[in-house]
């Protein structure tokens, strides 16, 4: 190919990909299959490699742009980023609206009502059609330059379509969709990491990362709600015209927007939004009311901190008051000590709550939660209740301040602090709590799936000191187990058969089952797909490990630490000796090799609700038949496999017209 032809092809492919991104992310109406899209993307990557002189930093292949930063640069905003006045009462909304009518000397006034997104405020600047800079709000005058992280948000174009205005600044909120947040938190817990308190914290924490590869792996999204500086090619007479600009430029706006020109309509919209906001994929804590006409906005002006043409109406969160009975420490599989509050049982949004996570020491200290305190709890992120407020004024003086123990509550070993993760860990590899959790994780369905090794038998094995590490399982025999109480010959046989059968499991299940910090099931599968065997993974360099999909610096480093530490390497050798799959040609490694049929080829699945077996079981089946499984429903989803009590994923699937199958339909489809 001649350079001229290559340059043209690169431009064509880039524009095509940009167009299909808009169809996919904004319109939820993709025109081409994932496969065709991936092919375009790959062709572009190949051409850019062959003709590096034509590689643009705004190419759709360059989302994860630069190297990790040393720190964020402080940048001055082109226009101040203001905050909003808040109110909790409809009466104050009426006062606000009537005051506007009076000041502007009008009888009717068009206003816009939209959700107040509970995310992190950003300013995004496009100049000459290119994404130039994104910054946090900071103090309103200057903030951090977070362009590298914002570029990883896939719904955000790095370059605008030619026929749209090309230079302007936008204001919006970065957020983490609820489903993505839940999936990420579940995975973090499985990987032995601390969970995030709520999507907002997770978003803020992600934007603060200096390495854009971390942000690229987190499910961030961005919705715009206002304009800042405008270039000469943009004229925005109203907020409505702003939404039109977003549509033209392929930028995301919120999906719920009301326009009305009277008070009844305004209050009606606020109430309607309260009904609908729970179905949105982001958290909202209120409604924002804005004067539509930009000339009138200008005329109304601003106070020192907020505009006079807008106000936020805050909804009451679903909260309840209760008392902290005790604060308990849980020791996780990786030794992380997590404080958990035991509560006087209380009813919140349909369920009885008796425990709330306090996440970590920092969080408890920040809130100063004490045993005996009266607290307000709230259902954050829908499932895990959180303590949002402590009623300090109701203290009697006998409340007990929380102190992170300096030694493990289970084995009394002095704890260690992990400064990066805000975590306190028990370092004792033989800590009975850790061993129990580690064995349970190893035996769990998502890992080695060992029949007969449930939590009761794990408890017994550890208490009887028959197992202090995973490899001990393979040394068990009928005579050792015979002495255990409540363990009859049938259970012993089941357990031994189950353990023996685990040697035939695919190697990724073993790797995941080892419970190495940060190494989840997805990265385990990617690692084995890439290297083919445990032996090859153990020989790989840090760079080689990092080059694998779903494996970042953190995972790669953690693997190497495990392989190099005596505890890890000796355990691996014991497992090898016991006959577990390490070599490339071991039976189990072969079981990993590709689908058993292609009945589900080119289909993408999401699994939700309660099914007759764990979701992993179905995920395995789907993958074995050539399908792909993802965590959240999007326009790319082909099918939703839904069990009992399917919630928001079901609603989303119905909205997007994704086919929903129950378990029976699914099995029938497999049999086809
Ligand atoms: S309009 C004065 N619309 O709330 C700036 N803000 O508490 C006008 N926010 O800094 C803001 N959703 O980051 C507007 N639909 C929405 C919003 C919204 C969230 C944030 C925004 C602002 C903060 C003020």
């Amino acid at each position: 190919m001649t350079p001229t032809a290559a340059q043209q092809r690169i431009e064509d492919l880039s524009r095509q990909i940009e167009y299909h991104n808009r169809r996919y992310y904004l319109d939820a109406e993709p025109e081409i299959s994932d496969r065709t899209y991936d092919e375009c993307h790959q062709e572009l990557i190949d051409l850019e490699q062959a003709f590096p002189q034509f590689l643009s930093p705004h190419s759709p292949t360059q989302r994860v742009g630069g190297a990790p930063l040393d720190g964020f640069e402080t940048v001055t905003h082109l226009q101040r980023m203001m905050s909003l006045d808040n109110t909790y009462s409809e009466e104050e909304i009426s006062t606000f609206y009537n005051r506007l009518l009076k000041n502007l000397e009008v009888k009717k006034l068009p206003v816009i009502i939209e959700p107040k997104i509970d995310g992190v405020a950003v300013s995004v600047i496009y100049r000459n059609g290119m994404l130039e800079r994104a910054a946090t709000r900071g103090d309103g005058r200057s903030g951090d330059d977070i362009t590298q992280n914002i570029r990883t948000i896939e719904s955000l174009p790095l370059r605008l379509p030619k026929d749209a205005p090309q230079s302007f600044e936008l204001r919006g909120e970065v957020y983490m969709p609820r489903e993505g947040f839940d999936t990420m938190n579940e995975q973090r817990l499985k990987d032995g990491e601390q969970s995030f308190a709520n999507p907002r914290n997770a978003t803020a924490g992600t934007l603060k990362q200096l390495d854009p590869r971390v942000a690229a792996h987190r499910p961030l999204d961005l919705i715009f709600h206002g304009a800042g500086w405008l270039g000469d090619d943009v004229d925005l007479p109203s907020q409505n015209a702003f939404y039109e600009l977003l549509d033209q430029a392929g930028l995301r706006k919120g999906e719920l927007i009301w326009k009305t020109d009277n008070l009844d309509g305004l209050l009606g919209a606020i109430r309607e939004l309260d009904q609908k906001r729970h179905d949105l994929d982001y958290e909202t804590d209120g409604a924002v009311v804005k004067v539509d006409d930009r000339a009138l906005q200008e005329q109304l002006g601003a106070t020192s901190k907020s505009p006079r043409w807008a106000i936020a109406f805050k909804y009451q969160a679903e909260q309840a008051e209760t008392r902290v009975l005790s604060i308990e420490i849980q020791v996780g599989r990786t030794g992380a000590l997590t404080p958990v509050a035991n509560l006087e049982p209380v009813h919140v949004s349909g369920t009885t709550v008796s425990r709330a996570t306090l996440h970590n020491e920092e969080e408890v200290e920040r809130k100063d939660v004490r045993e005996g305190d009266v607290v307000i709890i709230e259902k954050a992120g829908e499932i895990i209740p959180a303590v949002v407020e402590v009623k300090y004024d109701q203290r009697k003086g006998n409340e007990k301040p929380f102190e992170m123990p300096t030694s493990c509550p289970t084995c009394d070993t002095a704890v260690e602090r992990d400064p990066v993760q805000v975590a306190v860990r028990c370092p004792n590899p033989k800590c009975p709590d850790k061993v129990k959790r580690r064995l349970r994780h190893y035996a769990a369905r998502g890992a080695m799936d060992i029949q007969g090794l449930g939590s009761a038998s794990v408890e017994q094995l550890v208490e009887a000191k028959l197992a202090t590490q995973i490899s001990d399982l393979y040394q068990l025999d009928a005579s050792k187990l015979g002495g255990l109480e409540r363990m009859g010959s049938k259970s012993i046989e089941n357990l031994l058969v189950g353990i023996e059968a685990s040697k035939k499991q695919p190697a990724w299940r073993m790797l995941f089952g080892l419970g190495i910090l940060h190494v989840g099931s997805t990265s385990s599968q990617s690692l084995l797909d890439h290297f083919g065997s445990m032996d090859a993974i153990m020989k790989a360099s840090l760079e080689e490990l990092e080059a694998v999909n779903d494996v970042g610096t953190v995972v790669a480093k953690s693997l190497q630490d495990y392989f190099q530490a005596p505890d890890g390497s000796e355990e691996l050798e014991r497992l090898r000796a016991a006959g577990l799959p390490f070599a490339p040609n071991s039976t189990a490694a072969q079981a990993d090799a590709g689908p058993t049929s292609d009945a589900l080829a080119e289909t993408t699945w999401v699994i939700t609700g309660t099914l007759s077996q764990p979701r992993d079981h179905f995920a395995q089946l789907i993958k074995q038949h050539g399908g792909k499984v993802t965590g959240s429903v999007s326009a790319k989803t082909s099918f939703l496999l839904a069990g009992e009590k399917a919630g928001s994923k079901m609603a989303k699937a119905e909205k997007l017209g994704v086919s929903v199958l129950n378990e029976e339909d699914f099995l029938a489809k497999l049999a086809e």
Side-chain angles (χ1 to χ4, degrees), residues 126 215 221 231 250 490:
Y126 284 91
D221 210 336
K490 191 79 203 134

Side-chain angles (χ1 to χ4, degrees), residues 411-457:
C411 70
D412 215 29
T413 309
V415 298
E416 282 173 4
R417 278 166 196 276
D418 177 341
V420 183
Q421 295 238 337
V422 202
V424 173
R425 288 183 210 280
C426 166
N428 173 13
K430 304 256 149 81
C431 170
D433 257 20
K434 265 165 85 172
V435 173
K436 284 177 201 166
R437 281 182 196 268
R438 201 176 294 146
L439 291 180
R440 260 191 268 160
H441 170 75
Y442 185 75
R445 292 205 179 93
M448 288 297 246
D449 194 11
I450 303 182
Q451 307 293 317
L453 188 56
S455 41
S457 7

Side-chain angles (χ1 to χ4, degrees), residues 81-107:
M81 288 180 80
M82 307 266 261
S83 53
L84 284 171
D85 274 342
N86 279 331
T87 172
Y88 286 88
S89 81
E90 291 196 350
E91 205 179 313
E92 281 187 51
I93 291 290
S94 311
T95 314
F96 166 80
Y97 190 75
N98 288 326
R99 189 171 59 230
L100 292 178
L101 292 182
K102 189 160 154 267
N103 290 349
L104 296 167
E105 298 177 3
V106 290
K107 289 256 156 3

Side-chain angles (χ1 to χ4, degrees), residues 82-84 86 114-118 121 137 172-173 225 288 290 306-307 309-310:
M82 307 266 261
S83 53
L84 284 171
N86 279 331
E114 57 177 29
K116 185 168 194 310
I117 303 158
D118 196 8
R137 198 178 100 96
E173 299 294 300
H225 51 60
V288 182
K290 306 172 184 179
S306 43
W309 48 264

Side-chain angles (χ1 to χ4, degrees), residues 160-173:
L160 300 175
K162 281 190 204 131
D163 52 3
Q166 302 284 298
S167 300
F168 46 82
E169 179 196 9
L170 304 164
R171 303 291 168 76
E173 299 294 300

